[in-house]
Amino acid sequence: MENMALPLVLLSEQFAKLPGIGMKTAQRLAYFVMSMTEDEARAFADAVIRAHSTVKCCTVCQNLTEGEICPICDDARRDKSTICVVETPKDISAFERTREYKGAYHVLHGLISPIDGIAPGDIRIKELLKRIQTRDIAEVIMATNPTVEGEATAMYISKLLKPLGIKVTRLAFGLPIGGILEYADEVTLFKALENRGEM
Amino acid sequence: MENMALPLVLLSEQFAKLPGIGMKTAQRLAYFVMSMTEDEARAFADAVIRAHSTVKCCTVCQNLTEGEICPICDDARRDKSTICVVETPKDISAFERTREYKGAYHVLHGLISPIDGIAPGDIRIKELLKRIQTRDIAEVIMATNPTVEGEATAMYISKLLKPLGIKVTRLAFGLPIGGILEYADEVTLFKALENRGEM
Protein backbone atom coordinates (compact mmCIF):
# COMPACT_ATOMS: atom_id res chain seq x y z
CA MET A 1 0.00 0.00 0.00
CA GLU A 2 2.74 2.51 0.91
CA ASN A 3 4.00 2.26 -2.68
CA MET A 4 0.63 2.96 -4.26
CA ALA A 5 -0.18 6.47 -5.43
CA LEU A 6 -2.57 8.16 -2.98
CA PRO A 7 -5.59 8.33 -5.35
CA LEU A 8 -5.18 4.59 -5.91
CA VAL A 9 -5.08 3.95 -2.16
CA LEU A 10 -8.24 6.04 -1.73
CA LEU A 11 -9.98 4.20 -4.58
CA SER A 12 -8.96 0.84 -3.06
CA GLU A 13 -10.46 1.96 0.25
CA GLN A 14 -13.71 2.82 -1.52
CA PHE A 15 -13.88 -0.61 -3.15
CA ALA A 16 -13.06 -2.27 0.18
CA LYS A 17 -16.23 -0.73 1.67
CA LEU A 18 -18.33 -2.87 -0.67
CA PRO A 19 -19.67 -6.10 0.81
CA GLY A 20 -17.54 -9.21 0.24
CA ILE A 21 -14.56 -7.23 -1.08
CA GLY A 22 -11.37 -7.38 0.97
CA MET A 23 -8.37 -5.06 0.73
CA LYS A 24 -6.51 -7.30 -1.72
CA THR A 25 -9.44 -7.56 -4.15
CA ALA A 26 -10.07 -3.83 -3.70
CA GLN A 27 -6.51 -3.07 -4.83
CA ARG A 28 -6.93 -5.37 -7.82
CA LEU A 29 -10.14 -3.52 -8.78
CA ALA A 30 -8.43 -0.13 -8.34
CA TYR A 31 -5.66 -1.22 -10.69
CA PHE A 32 -8.30 -2.43 -13.13
CA VAL A 33 -9.92 1.01 -13.14
CA MET A 34 -6.54 2.40 -14.17
CA SER A 35 -6.57 0.11 -17.20
CA MET A 36 -9.96 1.49 -18.32
CA THR A 37 -10.22 4.24 -20.93
CA GLU A 38 -11.26 7.64 -19.61
CA ASP A 39 -14.75 7.16 -21.07
CA GLU A 40 -15.13 3.80 -19.35
CA ALA A 41 -14.04 5.20 -15.99
CA ARG A 42 -16.47 8.10 -16.39
CA ALA A 43 -19.32 5.73 -17.35
CA PHE A 44 -18.61 3.70 -14.24
CA ALA A 45 -18.62 6.73 -11.93
CA ASP A 46 -21.72 8.14 -13.64
CA ALA A 47 -23.63 4.88 -13.19
CA VAL A 48 -23.00 5.08 -9.43
CA ILE A 49 -24.22 8.69 -9.24
CA ARG A 50 -27.16 8.15 -11.57
CA ALA A 51 -28.42 5.03 -9.80
CA HIS A 52 -28.07 6.73 -6.45
CA SER A 53 -29.78 9.95 -7.45
CA THR A 54 -32.61 8.69 -9.66
CA VAL A 55 -33.63 5.44 -8.00
CA LYS A 56 -35.99 5.94 -5.05
CA CYS A 57 -38.36 3.80 -3.03
CA CYS A 58 -41.79 3.06 -4.55
CA THR A 59 -44.30 5.05 -2.49
CA VAL A 60 -46.56 1.98 -2.25
CA CYS A 61 -44.32 -1.04 -1.69
CA GLN A 62 -40.88 0.55 -0.95
CA ASN A 63 -39.25 -1.40 -3.81
CA LEU A 64 -36.44 0.51 -5.55
CA THR A 65 -37.71 2.20 -8.70
CA GLU A 66 -37.10 5.13 -11.02
CA GLY A 67 -40.61 6.59 -10.89
CA GLU A 68 -43.03 7.29 -8.03
CA ILE A 69 -44.57 3.84 -8.26
CA CYS A 70 -42.72 0.66 -9.22
CA PRO A 71 -43.68 -1.41 -12.30
CA ILE A 72 -45.12 -4.17 -10.12
CA CYS A 73 -47.44 -1.84 -8.14
CA ASP A 74 -48.32 -0.14 -11.43
CA ASP A 75 -49.25 -3.42 -13.15
CA ALA A 76 -53.07 -3.79 -13.25
CA ARG A 77 -52.76 -7.57 -13.74
CA ARG A 78 -51.16 -8.09 -10.32
CA ASP A 79 -53.36 -9.07 -7.39
CA LYS A 80 -53.03 -6.11 -4.99
CA SER A 81 -54.91 -7.89 -2.18
CA THR A 82 -51.95 -10.20 -1.48
CA ILE A 83 -48.74 -8.69 -0.08
CA CYS A 84 -45.50 -10.63 0.12
CA VAL A 85 -43.30 -9.00 2.80
CA VAL A 86 -39.56 -9.22 2.09
CA GLU A 87 -36.40 -7.82 3.64
CA THR A 88 -34.70 -6.36 0.55
CA PRO A 89 -35.48 -5.41 -3.08
CA LYS A 90 -33.18 -8.29 -4.10
CA ASP A 91 -35.72 -10.72 -2.60
CA ILE A 92 -38.35 -9.42 -5.03
CA SER A 93 -36.09 -10.40 -7.95
CA ALA A 94 -35.84 -13.91 -6.47
CA PHE A 95 -39.63 -14.29 -6.26
CA GLU A 96 -40.15 -12.80 -9.73
CA ARG A 97 -37.77 -15.38 -11.18
CA THR A 98 -40.19 -18.14 -10.12
CA ARG A 99 -42.82 -16.50 -12.42
CA GLU A 100 -45.45 -17.99 -10.11
CA TYR A 101 -46.26 -15.17 -7.70
CA LYS A 102 -48.80 -12.69 -9.05
CA GLY A 103 -49.45 -10.57 -5.94
CA ALA A 104 -47.79 -7.40 -4.65
CA TYR A 105 -44.76 -6.93 -2.39
CA HIS A 106 -43.64 -4.88 0.56
CA VAL A 107 -39.95 -4.25 1.21
CA LEU A 108 -38.98 -3.76 4.86
CA HIS A 109 -35.41 -2.56 4.06
CA GLY A 110 -34.03 -4.43 7.05
CA LEU A 111 -35.00 -6.78 9.85
CA ILE A 112 -35.61 -6.13 13.53
CA SER A 113 -32.31 -6.85 15.28
CA PRO A 114 -31.85 -5.56 18.87
CA ILE A 115 -28.22 -6.73 18.78
CA ASP A 116 -27.52 -4.35 15.86
CA GLY A 117 -29.72 -1.64 17.37
CA ILE A 118 -32.43 -2.01 14.69
CA ALA A 119 -35.85 -1.42 16.25
CA PRO A 120 -39.25 -1.97 14.58
CA GLY A 121 -39.40 1.80 13.93
CA ASP A 122 -36.19 1.62 11.86
CA ILE A 123 -37.66 -0.59 9.14
CA ARG A 124 -40.68 0.05 6.88
CA ILE A 125 -43.35 -1.51 9.12
CA LYS A 126 -45.46 1.64 9.54
CA GLU A 127 -45.66 1.96 5.75
CA LEU A 128 -47.01 -1.60 5.64
CA LEU A 129 -49.60 -0.83 8.33
CA LYS A 130 -50.73 2.33 6.54
CA ARG A 131 -51.08 0.35 3.33
CA ILE A 132 -53.17 -2.30 5.03
CA GLN A 133 -55.43 0.30 6.65
CA THR A 134 -56.10 2.16 3.41
CA ARG A 135 -56.48 -0.76 0.99
CA ASP A 136 -58.34 -4.04 0.93
CA ILE A 137 -55.79 -6.70 1.84
CA ALA A 138 -56.74 -10.38 1.98
CA GLU A 139 -53.39 -11.99 2.84
CA VAL A 140 -49.92 -10.99 3.98
CA ILE A 141 -47.18 -13.55 3.28
CA MET A 142 -44.18 -13.17 5.58
CA ALA A 143 -41.20 -13.99 3.34
CA THR A 144 -38.27 -12.92 5.53
CA ASN A 145 -35.24 -15.22 5.77
CA PRO A 146 -35.38 -18.24 8.12
CA THR A 147 -32.82 -16.60 10.46
CA VAL A 148 -33.24 -15.38 14.04
CA GLU A 149 -33.89 -11.81 12.84
CA GLY A 150 -36.11 -12.95 9.97
CA GLU A 151 -38.24 -15.07 12.29
CA ALA A 152 -38.45 -12.36 14.94
CA THR A 153 -39.53 -9.76 12.36
CA ALA A 154 -42.13 -12.14 10.89
CA MET A 155 -43.50 -12.83 14.38
CA TYR A 156 -43.59 -9.14 15.29
CA ILE A 157 -45.49 -8.11 12.15
CA SER A 158 -47.81 -11.11 12.39
CA LYS A 159 -48.78 -10.06 15.94
CA LEU A 160 -49.55 -6.54 14.68
CA LEU A 161 -51.68 -7.72 11.75
CA LYS A 162 -53.69 -10.58 13.22
CA PRO A 163 -55.82 -8.31 15.47
CA LEU A 164 -56.77 -6.42 12.30
CA GLY A 165 -58.37 -9.63 10.98
CA ILE A 166 -55.79 -10.15 8.23
CA LYS A 167 -54.65 -13.61 7.17
CA VAL A 168 -50.89 -13.80 7.80
CA THR A 169 -48.93 -16.71 6.32
CA ARG A 170 -45.28 -17.76 6.40
CA LEU A 171 -43.15 -19.40 3.69
CA ALA A 172 -42.84 -23.19 4.07
CA PHE A 173 -39.61 -24.62 5.41
CA GLY A 174 -38.27 -28.04 4.46
CA LEU A 175 -35.71 -29.78 2.32
CA PRO A 176 -34.47 -27.74 -0.64
CA ILE A 177 -35.27 -29.35 -4.00
CA GLY A 178 -32.21 -31.18 -5.29
CA GLY A 179 -30.71 -31.25 -1.79
CA ILE A 180 -29.36 -34.41 -0.22
CA LEU A 181 -31.03 -35.59 2.99
CA GLU A 182 -27.71 -36.65 4.48
CA TYR A 183 -26.38 -33.09 4.31
CA ALA A 184 -29.49 -31.35 5.64
CA ASP A 185 -29.04 -29.74 9.07
CA GLU A 186 -31.17 -30.93 11.97
CA VAL A 187 -33.48 -27.94 12.07
CA THR A 188 -34.28 -28.19 8.36
CA LEU A 189 -34.87 -31.91 8.68
CA PHE A 190 -37.08 -31.39 11.72
CA LYS A 191 -39.09 -28.75 9.80
CA ALA A 192 -39.38 -31.11 6.82
CA LEU A 193 -40.68 -33.85 9.10
CA GLU A 194 -43.04 -31.56 11.03
CA ASN A 195 -44.55 -30.08 7.86
CA ARG A 196 -44.79 -33.40 6.00
CA GLY A 197 -47.73 -33.70 3.63
CA GLU A 198 -49.83 -36.65 2.51
CA MET A 199 -48.85 -38.22 -0.81
CA MET B 1 -33.07 -8.22 -13.76
CA GLU B 2 -36.32 -7.30 -15.53
CA ASN B 3 -37.70 -6.08 -12.21
CA MET B 4 -34.74 -3.88 -11.43
CA ALA B 5 -34.93 -0.16 -12.12
CA LEU B 6 -32.93 0.70 -15.27
CA PRO B 7 -30.19 2.75 -13.50
CA LEU B 8 -29.65 -0.22 -11.19
CA VAL B 9 -29.35 -2.58 -14.15
CA LEU B 10 -26.81 -0.21 -15.74
CA LEU B 11 -24.84 0.05 -12.50
CA SER B 12 -24.85 -3.75 -12.17
CA GLU B 13 -23.49 -4.00 -15.69
CA GLN B 14 -20.68 -1.60 -14.78
CA PHE B 15 -19.75 -3.66 -11.72
CA ALA B 16 -19.89 -6.86 -13.79
CA LYS B 17 -17.14 -5.45 -16.03
CA LEU B 18 -14.71 -5.59 -13.10
CA PRO B 19 -12.48 -8.69 -12.96
CA GLY B 20 -13.77 -11.56 -10.83
CA ILE B 21 -17.24 -10.02 -10.43
CA GLY B 22 -20.14 -11.95 -11.94
CA MET B 23 -23.66 -10.65 -12.61
CA LYS B 24 -25.04 -11.84 -9.27
CA THR B 25 -22.29 -10.16 -7.22
CA ALA B 26 -22.63 -7.08 -9.44
CA GLN B 27 -26.33 -6.82 -8.57
CA ARG B 28 -25.52 -7.20 -4.88
CA LEU B 29 -22.96 -4.38 -5.15
CA ALA B 30 -25.46 -2.17 -7.03
CA TYR B 31 -28.00 -2.67 -4.25
CA PHE B 32 -25.30 -1.86 -1.73
CA VAL B 33 -24.61 1.45 -3.49
CA MET B 34 -28.31 2.25 -3.01
CA SER B 35 -27.89 1.79 0.74
CA MET B 36 -25.06 4.37 0.82
CA THR B 37 -25.69 7.97 1.78
CA GLU B 38 -25.48 10.48 -1.08
CA ASP B 39 -22.08 11.67 0.19
CA GLU B 40 -20.74 8.12 0.27
CA ALA B 41 -21.93 7.41 -3.27
CA ARG B 42 -20.36 10.66 -4.48
CA ALA B 43 -17.06 9.88 -2.69
CA PHE B 44 -17.03 6.49 -4.40
CA ALA B 45 -17.64 7.94 -7.86
CA ASP B 46 -15.13 10.74 -7.25
CA ALA B 47 -12.43 8.26 -6.21
CA VAL B 48 -12.82 6.49 -9.56
CA ILE B 49 -12.56 9.73 -11.52
CA ARG B 50 -9.73 11.16 -9.42
CA ALA B 51 -7.60 8.01 -9.56
CA HIS B 52 -8.16 7.75 -13.27
CA SER B 53 -7.40 11.38 -14.06
CA THR B 54 -4.49 12.11 -11.69
CA VAL B 55 -2.55 8.86 -11.65
CA LYS B 56 -0.16 8.48 -14.59
CA CYS B 57 2.85 6.33 -15.44
CA CYS B 58 6.23 7.33 -13.93
CA THR B 59 8.32 8.69 -16.81
CA VAL B 60 11.28 6.59 -15.65
CA CYS B 61 9.93 3.19 -14.57
CA GLN B 62 6.29 3.27 -15.83
CA ASN B 63 4.95 2.57 -12.30
CA LEU B 64 1.62 4.29 -11.55
CA THR B 65 2.15 7.53 -9.68
CA GLU B 66 0.66 10.96 -9.04
CA GLY B 67 3.69 13.03 -10.04
CA GLU B 68 6.07 12.90 -13.00
CA ILE B 69 8.41 10.49 -11.20
CA CYS B 70 7.32 7.80 -8.74
CA PRO B 71 8.53 7.81 -5.09
CA ILE B 72 10.80 4.81 -5.74
CA CYS B 73 12.61 6.43 -8.71
CA ASP B 74 12.75 9.65 -6.70
CA ASP B 75 14.34 7.97 -3.66
CA ALA B 76 18.11 8.72 -3.57
CA ARG B 77 18.73 5.71 -1.30
CA ARG B 78 17.59 3.21 -3.96
CA ASP B 79 20.20 1.56 -6.15
CA LYS B 80 19.35 2.80 -9.66
CA SER B 81 21.84 0.46 -11.34
CA THR B 82 19.62 -2.59 -10.71
CA ILE B 83 16.27 -2.82 -12.50
CA CYS B 84 13.65 -5.40 -11.58
CA VAL B 85 11.35 -5.89 -14.60
CA VAL B 86 7.73 -6.73 -13.69
CA GLU B 87 4.48 -7.11 -15.57
CA THR B 88 2.20 -4.84 -13.48
CA PRO B 89 2.41 -2.10 -10.80
CA LYS B 90 0.83 -4.64 -8.40
CA ASP B 91 4.00 -6.73 -8.66
CA ILE B 92 6.02 -3.79 -7.30
CA SER B 93 3.84 -3.81 -4.16
CA ALA B 94 4.60 -7.52 -3.74
CA PHE B 95 8.37 -6.94 -3.93
CA GLU B 96 8.21 -3.90 -1.65
CA ARG B 97 6.43 -5.99 0.99
CA THR B 98 9.55 -8.18 1.27
CA ARG B 99 11.49 -5.03 2.36
CA GLU B 100 14.60 -6.69 0.91
CA TYR B 101 14.87 -5.26 -2.58
CA LYS B 102 16.58 -1.87 -2.73
CA GLY B 103 16.92 -1.43 -6.49
CA ALA B 104 14.63 0.19 -9.07
CA TYR B 105 11.80 -1.29 -11.14
CA HIS B 106 10.45 -1.27 -14.66
CA VAL B 107 6.78 -2.03 -15.35
CA LEU B 108 6.03 -3.62 -18.73
CA HIS B 109 2.22 -3.17 -18.44
CA GLY B 110 1.63 -6.53 -20.08
CA LEU B 111 3.41 -9.58 -21.44
CA ILE B 112 4.15 -10.63 -25.00
CA SER B 113 1.30 -12.92 -26.04
CA PRO B 114 0.84 -13.68 -29.75
CA ILE B 115 -2.40 -15.55 -28.94
CA ASP B 116 -3.91 -12.35 -27.50
CA GLY B 117 -2.33 -10.23 -30.23
CA ILE B 118 0.15 -8.55 -27.85
CA ALA B 119 3.42 -7.91 -29.66
CA PRO B 120 6.70 -6.68 -28.10
CA GLY B 121 5.82 -3.19 -29.34
CA ASP B 122 2.60 -3.17 -27.29
CA ILE B 123 4.37 -3.34 -23.93
CA ARG B 124 6.91 -0.94 -22.42
CA ILE B 125 10.06 -2.61 -23.73
CA LYS B 126 11.34 0.38 -25.75
CA GLU B 127 11.14 2.52 -22.58
CA LEU B 128 13.32 -0.07 -20.84
CA LEU B 129 15.85 -0.04 -23.69
CA LYS B 130 15.99 3.77 -23.71
CA ARG B 131 16.55 3.72 -19.95
CA ILE B 132 19.38 1.23 -20.28
CA GLN B 133 21.05 3.23 -23.05
CA THR B 134 20.95 6.53 -21.14
CA ARG B 135 21.84 5.33 -17.62
CA ASP B 136 24.46 3.08 -16.10
CA ILE B 137 22.73 -0.24 -15.47
CA ALA B 138 24.59 -3.16 -13.87
CA GLU B 139 21.84 -5.78 -13.68
CA VAL B 140 18.34 -6.39 -15.00
CA ILE B 141 16.28 -8.91 -13.01
CA MET B 142 13.49 -10.50 -15.06
CA ALA B 143 10.62 -10.89 -12.57
CA THR B 144 7.72 -11.79 -14.85
CA ASN B 145 5.39 -14.63 -13.80
CA PRO B 146 6.49 -18.24 -14.41
CA THR B 147 3.82 -18.66 -17.12
CA VAL B 148 4.23 -19.23 -20.86
CA GLU B 149 3.84 -15.49 -21.56
CA GLY B 150 6.03 -14.49 -18.61
CA GLU B 151 8.81 -16.84 -19.71
CA ALA B 152 8.56 -15.77 -23.36
CA THR B 153 8.74 -12.09 -22.41
CA ALA B 154 11.71 -12.68 -20.09
CA MET B 155 13.50 -14.58 -22.86
CA TYR B 156 12.73 -11.89 -25.45
CA ILE B 157 14.05 -9.04 -23.30
CA SER B 158 17.05 -11.06 -22.17
CA LYS B 159 18.05 -11.61 -25.83
CA LEU B 160 17.79 -7.87 -26.47
CA LEU B 161 19.88 -6.90 -23.43
CA LYS B 162 22.68 -9.45 -23.43
CA PRO B 163 24.36 -8.07 -26.62
CA LEU B 164 24.53 -4.73 -24.77
CA GLY B 165 26.74 -6.38 -22.15
CA ILE B 166 24.17 -6.18 -19.38
CA LYS B 167 23.84 -8.89 -16.73
CA VAL B 168 20.31 -10.32 -17.01
CA THR B 169 19.02 -12.59 -14.22
CA ARG B 170 15.76 -14.45 -13.62
CA LEU B 171 13.90 -15.08 -10.35
CA ALA B 172 14.59 -18.50 -8.83
CA PHE B 173 11.92 -21.18 -9.12
CA GLY B 174 11.39 -23.91 -6.57
CA LEU B 175 9.15 -25.00 -3.71
CA PRO B 176 7.20 -22.17 -2.09
CA ILE B 177 8.09 -21.69 1.59
CA GLY B 178 5.48 -23.37 3.78
CA GLY B 179 4.32 -25.46 0.83
CA ILE B 180 3.88 -29.21 1.06
CA LEU B 181 6.03 -31.34 -1.25
CA GLU B 182 3.19 -33.79 -1.85
CA TYR B 183 1.05 -31.03 -3.38
CA ALA B 184 3.75 -29.45 -5.54
CA ASP B 185 3.21 -29.86 -9.28
CA GLU B 186 5.80 -31.75 -11.33
CA VAL B 187 7.32 -28.70 -12.99
CA THR B 188 7.85 -26.91 -9.68
CA LEU B 189 9.37 -30.05 -8.18
CA PHE B 190 11.63 -30.51 -11.19
CA LYS B 191 12.76 -26.88 -10.90
CA ALA B 192 13.37 -27.33 -7.16
CA LEU B 193 15.50 -30.41 -7.87
CA GLU B 194 17.37 -28.82 -10.77
CA ASN B 195 18.19 -25.66 -8.80
CA ARG B 196 19.07 -27.47 -5.57
CA GLY B 197 21.82 -25.86 -3.47
CA GLU B 198 24.47 -27.25 -1.15
CA MET B 199 23.59 -27.21 2.56
Coordinates of all heavy atoms in Angstrom, one line a residue, chain B residues 170-175 187-198:
Chain B
R170 N 17.2 -14.0 -13.7 CA 15.8 -14.4 -13.6 C 15.5 -14.9 -12.2 O 16.4 -15.4 -11.5 CB 15.6 -15.6 -14.6 CG 14.1 -16.2 -14.7 CD 13.3 -15.4 -15.7 NE 12.0 -15.9 -15.9 CZ 10.9 -15.4 -15.4 NH1 10.9 -14.4 -14.6 NH2 9.7 -16.0 -15.7
L171 N 14.3 -14.6 -11.7 CA 13.9 -15.1 -10.3 C 14.1 -16.6 -10.2 O 13.9 -17.3 -11.2 CB 12.4 -14.8 -10.1 CG 12.0 -13.4 -9.9 CD1 10.5 -13.3 -9.5 CD2 12.8 -12.7 -8.8
A172 N 14.4 -17.1 -9.0 CA 14.6 -18.5 -8.8 C 13.2 -19.2 -8.7 O 12.3 -18.6 -8.2 CB 15.4 -18.7 -7.5
F173 N 13.2 -20.4 -9.2 CA 11.9 -21.2 -9.1 C 12.2 -22.4 -8.2 O 13.3 -23.0 -8.3 CB 11.4 -21.6 -10.5 CG 11.1 -20.5 -11.4 CD1 11.7 -20.4 -12.6 CD2 10.3 -19.5 -11.0 CE1 11.5 -19.3 -13.4 CE2 10.0 -18.4 -11.8 CZ 10.6 -18.3 -13.0
G174 N 11.2 -22.8 -7.4 CA 11.4 -23.9 -6.6 C 10.2 -24.0 -5.7 O 9.1 -23.5 -6.0
L175 N 10.3 -24.8 -4.6 CA 9.1 -25.0 -3.7 C 8.8 -23.7 -3.0 O 9.7 -23.0 -2.5 CB 9.5 -26.1 -2.7 CG 9.6 -27.5 -3.2 CD1 10.0 -28.4 -2.0 CD2 8.3 -28.0 -3.7
V187 N 6.4 -29.7 -12.5 CA 7.3 -28.7 -13.0 C 8.0 -28.0 -11.9 O 9.2 -27.8 -11.9 CB 6.6 -27.7 -13.9 CG1 7.6 -26.8 -14.6 CG2 5.8 -28.5 -15.0
T188 N 7.3 -27.6 -10.8 CA 7.8 -26.9 -9.7 C 8.9 -27.8 -9.0 O 10.0 -27.4 -8.6 CB 6.7 -26.5 -8.7 OG1 5.8 -25.7 -9.3 CG2 7.3 -25.8 -7.5
L189 N 8.5 -29.1 -8.8 CA 9.4 -30.0 -8.2 C 10.6 -30.3 -9.0 O 11.8 -30.3 -8.5 CB 8.6 -31.4 -8.0 CG 9.0 -32.2 -6.7 CD1 8.9 -31.3 -5.5 CD2 8.0 -33.4 -6.6
F190 N 10.5 -30.3 -10.3 CA 11.6 -30.5 -11.2 C 12.6 -29.3 -11.1 O 13.8 -29.5 -11.0 CB 11.2 -30.7 -12.6 CG 12.3 -30.6 -13.6 CD1 13.2 -31.7 -13.7 CD2 12.4 -29.5 -14.5 CE1 14.2 -31.6 -14.6 CE2 13.5 -29.5 -15.4 CZ 14.4 -30.5 -15.5
K191 N 12.0 -28.1 -11.0 CA 12.8 -26.9 -10.9 C 13.5 -26.9 -9.6 O 14.7 -26.4 -9.5 CB 11.9 -25.6 -11.0 CG 11.4 -25.4 -12.4 CD 12.5 -24.7 -13.2 CE 12.0 -24.4 -14.6 NZ 13.1 -23.9 -15.5
A192 N 12.8 -27.3 -8.5 CA 13.4 -27.3 -7.2 C 14.6 -28.3 -7.1 O 15.6 -28.0 -6.4 CB 12.3 -27.7 -6.1
L193 N 14.4 -29.4 -7.8 CA 15.5 -30.4 -7.9 C 16.7 -29.9 -8.7 O 17.8 -29.9 -8.3 CB 14.9 -31.7 -8.5 CG 15.7 -33.0 -8.3 CD1 15.7 -33.4 -6.8 CD2 15.0 -34.1 -9.1
E194 N 16.4 -29.3 -9.9 CA 17.4 -28.8 -10.8 C 18.2 -27.7 -10.1 O 19.4 -27.6 -10.3 CB 16.6 -28.3 -12.0 CG 17.5 -28.0 -13.2 CD 16.7 -27.4 -14.4 OE1 15.9 -26.5 -14.1 OE2 17.0 -27.9 -15.5
N195 N 17.5 -26.8 -9.4 CA 18.2 -25.7 -8.8 C 18.6 -25.9 -7.4 O 18.8 -25.0 -6.6 CB 17.3 -24.4 -8.8 CG 16.9 -24.1 -10.3 OD1 17.6 -24.3 -11.2 ND2 15.7 -23.6 -10.4
R196 N 18.7 -27.2 -7.0 CA 19.1 -27.5 -5.6 C 20.4 -26.9 -5.2 O 21.3 -26.8 -6.0 CB 19.1 -29.0 -5.3 CG 20.2 -29.8 -6.1 CD 19.9 -31.3 -6.0 NE 20.9 -32.0 -6.7 CZ 20.9 -32.3 -8.0 NH1 19.9 -31.8 -8.7 NH2 21.8 -33.0 -8.5
G197 N 20.6 -26.5 -3.9 CA 21.8 -25.9 -3.5 C 22.5 -26.7 -2.4 O 21.8 -27.5 -1.7
E198 N 23.8 -26.5 -2.2 CA 24.5 -27.3 -1.2 C 24.1 -26.7 0.2 O 23.9 -25.5 0.4 CB 26.0 -27.1 -1.4 CG 26.7 -28.4 -1.0 CD 28.1 -28.4 -1.6 OE1 28.3 -28.2 -2.8 OE2 29.0 -28.5 -0.7

